[in-house]
Amino acid sequence: MKNKKPKVLHIISSLQQGGAERQLIELVKKNKNHAICQLISGNAFEDEVNDNKIKIFDLKTKNIFSFIINLYKLNKIINYYNPDVINTWMYHSSLMIIVLKLMKIKNNIPLIWGLRCSNMDTSHYSILLKMVIKFCKFFSHIPDIIINNSKAGLDFHKKLGFKNKHTVIHNGIDTSRFLLNEKFRNNFRSQYKIHKDAIVLLCVGRNDPMKDHDTLIKAFKKLNRKFPSVILLLAGLGTEKIKNLNNIITLGPRKDIEYIYSSSDIIISSSAFGEGFSNALAEGMSSKLIPIATEVGDSKYILGNIGKLIKPKSINELYKAIEYMLELDKDNFENQKKLARKRILNNFSQNKMMSSYNKLYAEIVDK
């Protein structure tokens, strides 16, 4: 298959909004010989899927009983699609394909696991997730290679005891999509009655213990007493349920995320644990937002020398980091914005990510 692109079947829990899901959609959009199988129904990317004619298989898993039945369905999908490579995304889909392998079904198709998190604190999640991770660790010798989207994730999984060959492919950002658009900025601010000169902070992420909105909100409440005109936007699944506080606008899940980046000035990643490579952080930087991030996952590498890196779960450090940025003079503030975009352009392009994946697929098929 030296001159032919491998046919790849990607398996993922669901196509709900999320960083892994976004990266998968971008990868498949540029590779017409790829398809996606989701375990649970959901498509936050419906317009892009339809516009790009992406082939989607939906197992419609609802419980453990349908999971067992869907092993048979998944086998039928693999037979029908006949991929050269199977690439799973995250733990649940990785375990499901391992069950098929153990049943001696489709043992000959090269298998890649894609793991996206770093230092997961499973005490916040169900016992089922803990069991799935343990099973994946036990069977981690089976895939041909494990892709992590962060160096921190690679180190974390090796420390947990995941075997086999690991590699890192960082997320790639569509810098032609995520860039400052003054029209978007003005329209969004007008819609939400935000003054054109107000400084707007943004945090993008689902309402989840990992994202630690609590620390961010507490730091912002303290900050707002000194800077009463500053606005905080919270976007992501479940943020609409966060109680509205003074100068905090909760947006919930949004498909027009480019508008929200363009309307803002500072992007904040307040994650307490588990983050591998923060899409929101990199997309915000690509949109000329100054980054402030907790040192979780590969955030230190994403930022380089731009913005501020702080300890997780520290209200005071987060407050001080935002305060520092707000007190910069206009020239330095604008320069930080320019440097943020330059950092993404030079290090985390979508083309670089695509090239890394496609090279790996070709190598694994030609082995």
Side-chain angles (χ1 to χ4, degrees), residues 262-278:
S262 285
S263 73
S264 307
D265 301 287
I266 295 173
I267 182 73
I268 298 174
S269 175
S270 55
S271 295
F273 60 87
E275 201 80 60
F277 183 108
S278 171

Side-chain angles (χ1 to χ4, degrees), residues 157-367:
H157 285 102
K158 280 190 172 181
K159 189 175 180 180
L160 268 186
F162 277 66
K163 307 170 188 69
N164 220 318
K165 184 179 177 184
H166 289 251
T167 191
V168 174
I169 299 179
H170 284 115
N171 293 357
I173 305 304
D174 184 352
T175 54
S176 64
R177 176 184 178 188
F178 296 108
L179 74 172
L180 176 60
N181 184 308
E182 291 292 346
K183 182 180 178 182
F184 289 176
R185 183 180 180 89
N186 294 335
N187 288 348
F188 185 91
R189 287 188 171 222
S190 175
Q191 180 184 353
Y192 285 91
K193 297 179 172 56
I194 300 171
H195 192 276
K196 65 182 181 66
D197 295 325
I199 299 296
V200 175
L201 317 178
L202 171 63
C203 179
V204 178
R206 67 189 181 280
N207 187 12
D208 183 281
M210 181 192 295
K211 305 300 181 180
D212 195 15
H213 288 98
D214 286 347
T215 295
L216 173 58
I217 290 169
K218 287 172 183 174
F220 181 76
K221 285 172 71 176
K222 181 180 177 183
L223 186 90
N224 214 222
R225 290 194 285 270
K226 183 174 180 179
F227 302 95
S229 64
V230 174
I231 303 293
L232 172 62
L233 304 179
L234 301 177
L237 186 66
T239 57
E240 71 279 8
K241 297 175 184 176
I242 295 174
K243 183 180 177 183
N244 275 315
L245 299 165
N246 189 42
N247 282 12
I248 298 178
I249 301 173
T250 56
L251 299 168
R254 299 288 292 246
K255 292 184 178 180
D256 60 345
I257 196 69
E258 303 95 320
Y259 280 78
I260 302 167
Y261 286 131
S262 285
S263 73
S264 307
D265 301 287
I266 295 173
I267 182 73
I268 298 174
S269 175
S270 55
S271 295
F273 60 87
E275 201 80 60
F277 183 108
S278 171
N279 265 19
L281 188 61
E283 288 169 358
M285 290 172 68
S286 180
S287 305
K288 285 191 173 180
L289 305 191
I290 300 172
I292 295 173
T294 51
E295 193 169 356
V296 176
D298 275 10
S299 59
K300 183 177 182 179
Y301 179 57
I302 297 169
L303 265 62
N305 295 319
I306 317 303
K308 283 284 186 182
L309 191 72
I310 60 172
K311 288 190 302 187
K313 298 186 76 67
S314 173
I315 296 168
N316 191 54
E317 281 205 23
L318 183 51
Y319 167 81
K320 289 288 187 185
I322 302 171
E323 180 188 50
Y324 174 84
M325 292 303 171
L326 294 179
E327 291 180 342
L328 288 175
D329 62 55
K330 186 175 180 180
D331 287 345
N332 280 324
F333 194 81
E334 290 302 317
N335 189 50
Q336 282 281 307
K337 288 187 168 190
K338 291 174 185 175
L339 290 173
R341 178 164 171 81
K342 186 177 179 182
R343 173 74 183 163
I344 301 304
L345 285 168
N346 290 345
N347 295 278
F348 305 108
S349 72
Q350 198 173 74
N351 286 340
K352 183 177 180 181
M353 180 197 76
M354 299 288 178
S355 176
S356 297
Y357 269 102
N358 289 331
K359 181 182 178 184
L360 182 61
Y361 294 143
E363 287 174 352
I364 204 168
V365 168
D366 288 335
K367 275 203 308 186

Side-chain angles (χ1 to χ4, degrees), residues 98-165:
I98 285 300
V99 174
L100 285 184
K101 285 267 188 183
L102 293 173
M103 293 166 64
K104 306 299 182 184
I105 300 172
K106 295 300 173 190
N107 266 9
N108 60 324
I109 300 176
L111 174 62
I112 298 172
W113 278 4
L115 303 180
R116 316 291 295 181
C117 65
S118 61
N119 59 327
M120 276 296 290
D121 181 354
T122 56
S123 66
H124 294 278
Y125 302 100
S126 70
I127 190 169
L128 178 61
L129 176 61
K130 297 172 188 175
M131 290 173 61
V132 169
I133 294 173
K134 284 184 178 180
F135 276 119
C136 285
K137 181 181 80 169
F138 186 79
F139 294 113
S140 59
H141 62 284
I142 293 179
D144 293 80
I145 193 168
I146 299 172
I147 299 174
N148 299 268
N149 73 334
S150 65
K151 176 65 166 55
L154 183 151
D155 293 340
F156 170 70
H157 285 102
K158 280 190 172 181
K159 189 175 180 180
L160 268 186
F162 277 66
K163 307 170 188 69
N164 220 318
K165 184 179 177 184

